[in-house]
Amino acid sequence: MKLDQIDLKILDAVQRDGRITKLALADKVGLSPTPCWMRLRKLEKAGIVSGYHARVAMRAVAPVATVLMEVTLASHRQADFDRFERVIRDVPEIVACWSVGGGVDYLLKVMARDIDAYQRLVDALLEREIGIDRYFTYVVTKTVKEEVALPVADLLPTPS
């Protein structure tokens, strides 16, 4: 699906405010409400807008430890990656997992009640024998920046 500048404005607006009204969205992107809403529905049907979510300030709810974890697997067959990823998807404390290049296999973002709970989680993963050879832990001491709105327009190639 080819996106134009209006589509990009719609994407920017809804990712910054998922509860924006039809009227406010139309006003923000410079369209009348019906064509604007039709464009949004088209973006949703194409899977470009994949959902609407609330951002929860977890530290306001309860104390939490955020930990980044580098993981290297012992073996690098496809079946080993598949087994690891299958288990990781089912662990609720692991809120993000990226397969990466550059010396490690995965980078995980873990949110646990505290560091002891994180270590119990790691011990449980090691006991499951899902192929973890080495892991390194980085405790987040301060969040400097954590954007949820993606710079859509800045990431697309410039028209020629």
Side-chain angles (χ1 to χ4, degrees):
M1 179 176 176
K2 192 159 174 78
L3 303 177
D4 63 18
Q5 288 301 313
I6 292 175
D7 294 323
L8 296 176
K9 287 179 182 179
I10 290 171
L11 292 174
D12 185 62
V14 298
Q15 70 177 339
R16 292 180 189 284
D17 182 3
R19 297 176 66 179
I20 193 168
T21 65
K22 290 180 188 181
L23 215 52
L25 180 61
D27 185 52
K28 192 170 216 105
V29 302
L31 282 179
S32 59
T34 300
C36 181
W37 206 248
M38 288 171 53
R39 280 181 179 248
L40 178 58
R41 290 290 174 237
K42 189 170 80 171
L43 292 166
E44 290 170 347
K45 285 181 182 169
I48 295 170
V49 174
S50 59
Y52 298 89
H53 312 276
R55 184 171 19 170
V56 176
M58 194 59 206
R59 290 180 191 263
V61 176
V64 65
T66 303
V67 180
L68 301 179
M69 179 181 176
E70 289 181 356
V71 174
T72 303
L73 300 183
S75 180
H76 293 96
R77 296 171 302 171
Q78 188 60 50
D80 300 310
F81 293 117
D82 292 344
R83 180 180 67 229
F84 177 82
E85 292 172 14
R86 197 170 32 255
V87 169
I88 294 307
R89 280 187 195 102
D90 291 335
V91 179
E93 295 90 344
I94 299 173
V95 297
C97 176
W98 301 276
S99 175
V100 296
V104 298
D105 297 316
Y106 294 95
L107 180 60
L108 285 67
K109 180 178 177 183
V110 181
M111 295 188 77
R113 210 172 266 135
D114 53 34
I115 297 303
D116 288 337
Y118 165 74
Q119 189 57 54
R120 286 191 302 277
L121 173 77
V122 171
D123 292 343
L125 290 173
L126 294 171
E127 284 177 21
R128 291 184 73 174
E129 297 183 6
I130 59 172
I132 297 174
D133 181 39
R134 293 177 311 158
Y135 72 93
F136 295 93
T137 296
Y138 304 94
V139 177
V140 175
T141 57
K142 176 177 153 185
T143 300
V144 176
K145 181 178 182 180
E146 186 173 46
E147 287 293 326
V148 293
L150 305 174
V152 177
D154 296 331
L155 297 176
L156 293 175
T158 54
S160 47

